[in-house]
Amino acid sequence: MASFIDFRNPPGSDRRADFQIKATSEPLWVRRLLIATVLGFFAIFLALPLLVVFEGALAKGWGAFFGYFTDRAILHSIQMTLIIAAITVPANAVFGIAAAWAITRFRFAGRAILLALIDLPLWVSPVIGGLIYVLLYGRRGYFGPWLQAHDIKIIFALPGMVMATTFVTFPFVARSLIPLMQAQGCEEEEAALTLGANGFQIFRRITLPKIRWGLFYGLILCNARAMGEFGAVCVVSAKISGMTNTMPLEIERLYTDYLFAAAFSVASALSLLALITLGLKTLAEWENRRQFEAGQRALLEQTIEAPSS
Amino acid sequence: MSRQSKKRHILPGFHPSLGWTVIWLTLIVLLPLAALIGKTASGGWEHFWVTVTDPQVVATYRVSFGISLIAALINGFFGFLAAWIFARYEFPGRRLLEAATDLPFALPTAVAGIALTALYSPNEWLGKYLEPLGIRIAFTPAGVLVAMIFIGFPFVVRSIQPVISELSADVEEAAACLGANRWQTLRHVVLPPLLPALLTGIIMAYGRAVGEYGSIVFISGNIPFKTEITPLMIVSKLEQHDNIGAAAIGFTMLLASLVIVLIGNKLQAWGNRFRKSA
Amino acid sequence: MKTPHLLLTTLFVVLFGMVTMLRADISLLNVSYDPTRDLYAEFNKVFASHWKAETGEEVTVATSHGGSGSQSRMIQDGSEADVATLALAYDIDAIYEKGSTGTPGEHLIPKDWQSRLPHNSSPYTSTIVFLVRKGNPKNIRDWDDLARADVSVVTPNPKSSGGARWNFLAAWSYGLKKFGSDEKKVRDFVSGIYRNAIRNGLPAAARASSITFTERRVGDVLVAWENEALLIKKLHGDAYEVITPSVSILAEPPVTVIDANVDSHNTRRQATAYLEYLYSPEGQEIIGRNFFRPVDPSAQAKFAGQFKGLDLATIADFGGWAKAQKTFFSDRAIFDQIIREMMR
């Protein structure tokens, strides 16, 4: 369990013995060195690419930047991205909750395999993620003739792109919830059961409030990935600008058309989305930590105030 | 509530939740993957073997699986440092950096690819300073390495950070009382419990880098035998109208990934056991 | 979780999206390759107004662009293309051979598709030329210069780019002319060129290599489609020069209607008219303006100043695409061997 001693207060400010501080932290020069090293790493590997994107976007000025977002094809790609995310995220959320419930509240044969299978899309290359749907639903695929006969279009149309995106973002919600629900344990749910609650009541009143933040993380990560997916959607997309392109595909189209400022502008819009996602996630983490610390403090106060018996 | 189903079915909702999970899993993951296996098999063993052992394809395994490992280890080092300072130190901008850690995770792959290329090409931002030094990043394995470091970084940090936060000070204080200096304390008391989580993070970064396509193909230059990655081979086969070959390589990658996933999960389970006993 | 609200929002967004994607008028899908973006952007508008004037029908043409090979694959796998305007006959032959309509034994296009329109179904041709930087500092004049040790070449990967295959064959044609039938010498020559290229990576498509050369400022010379080179010159003025080599290859990008699709969409009339309009005086004019070589003699005369004359080999010299593919570009064929030797 986390210690009540807060490592983050600098020496001298929290009135602990200096010895204690020395025993549990590194000398100042080491700390400075580590921080500098990590800062350097971040600057080179993370900050610079982002800067390149924003610089490229503004290469033709702010006027042009905003102008790109009135272009029909670009607007349509934003619409496509939003539609796909709006379908994929809720679907994977429902799945994630069901999977987390099944895995953390019960023991059954094959649990480990299920866990591994849920993680699988994270490791599989997005290109394969797209390829397998073409193999299944493409005209030459296993379901191809049947789909053709019934005039149902999946690949090279919206359904195929939704499925490829679903595949890639499949594990996120489940992965956020499973460790959380496992750590939380099911005593409270069982208590509710003994008090007469049925399944949905248990879920809505007990579980959901507990996993709220974990679910939130999972949803926003799932959303960010769904909006940014390129490889898998590329393979199943018809690549018709203004009709079937999502934002990442449109970025590639603009880039290949020599329209670099436009490409980077759309890219910066997506990056902004990524930054907002991070912001929301950090907010959620702060909230979580704040609640945890408040709970700890309350516990401490209670312990202190409780009459010694 | 049926008594005979023992402890495991006390809470309601087992069948619906498991059922729905299995259905969704089958539709989205298993069925398409079965198609992959079927397509591979339909070409026959001969075609499969010839395709996946072709020297050019084998060279891509070296890149995709080899360079990813190096990138994962580098991420392990820097990720550990980052997690340590996030969990233990206070300095201005800490929260911002913490938030920024997930950037590669959230940034779309195509954007990352274009940005990295624009950064490291010989006449660009960083590239033009490195070129006179004889260091070329774009269109070399170094470029592939840089891209893989970029995308794998968050996994390591996110794996270790919670574990570091949970370390209690008592053990360290006890070690100091018993006469250990800081370095000894770190090496013998603090690091061992962190090792499983570190390994897990490294393996996850590894798996991610192996499969990545968008961020790498732009900067790698796709030089045969040098910087081609295995996912590119799949796309290449598709464009040569060799669907079965593409499926074959995809299947091989899948097997390798499955092995990595299983090892990763085993490590995570081991790590959890370690953590509970602390 | 506010489930009802979430569901309703999703439903609304989906419906809204679908409605805006519905097309009330006739629409054609033209699946094309990379460098034709500007050409068809202009042509589609002109054709639409021409068709409206002639028949009163509204037609919108959407185009999809990508590598010729992957576009062909897309059609084989079910893209509802009405017409295909690709880079090589080989990619359209593949649509015949491997494309499926869902019914076994049925083909998407007939076997003799290429003879249905004039000039082997190629309303425009192009060739392969060089693009160099301003002032031509390395003094590049012909294919020989590309094999010089101090020259850095940018050219795409023939395994994944249709344009790149024309590049390779053009280089080979020059080699044949210079060294006659001594295959080893021709091979070493072409090898030398690719040795100078491989350091810059082998981009997967023609456009990607153009971008590497212009935006990333890599390399001394770009081996490119003539129309690409002329387009870059138009966009960047005198920052680049177009050098026409003495020998090159006649690239004939063919076009065809995808019969199975137009029949199921009932757009055969419009699709056929669309392709035929490419051969009309107006169509040829647009073609010339976009730096493709027209096939109509009067249009050729009009744009003569734009295109230099040169010695042109044709794919027939290589025995046709199927043979060329087998000899040079299939697995473990000549290109693979060259690369293998180079990288060992």
Side-chain angles (χ1 to χ4, degrees), chain C residues 325-343:
Chain C
Q325 178 73 14
K326 194 143 180 259
T327 318
F328 295 103
F329 306 117
S330 56
D331 281 340
R332 286 170 294 284
I334 292 186
F335 180 74
D336 271 348
Q337 290 166 19
I338 289 180
I339 295 294
R340 222 143 286 196
E341 280 157 33
M342 209 183 292
M343 305 301 280

Side-chain angles (χ1 to χ4, degrees), chain B residues 201-214:
Chain B
I202 290 180
I203 292 222
M204 285 174 60
Y206 183 49
R208 179 83 164 92
V210 164
E212 182 61 17
Y213 177 74

Side-chain angles (χ1 to χ4, degrees), chain B residues 50 54-56 117-118 121-124 136 139 221-226 237-241 243, chain C residues 69-70 72-73 76 91 94 98 159-160 198-202 215-217 331-332 336 339-340 343-344:
Chain B
V50 163
D54 179 87
Q56 198 168 348
T117 314
S121 288
N123 294 309
E124 305 283 355
R136 197 180 223 202
F139 317 135
N222 305 323
I223 302 176
F225 292 98
K226 278 246 172 88
K237 288 278 177 227
L238 285 176
E239 295 190 359
Q240 291 169 64
H241 309 304
N243 274 13
Chain C
S70 63
S72 165
R73 175 186 67 80
Q76 293 164 33
D91 287 326
K98 305 208 175 152
K159 303 281 277 195
S160 56
I198 209 150
R199 192 171 182 262
N200 299 322
L202 290 178
E215 274 304 296
R216 304 276 85 85
R217 286 168 281 163
D331 281 340
R332 286 170 294 284
D336 271 348
I339 295 294
R340 222 143 286 196
M343 305 301 280
R344 282 299 163 83

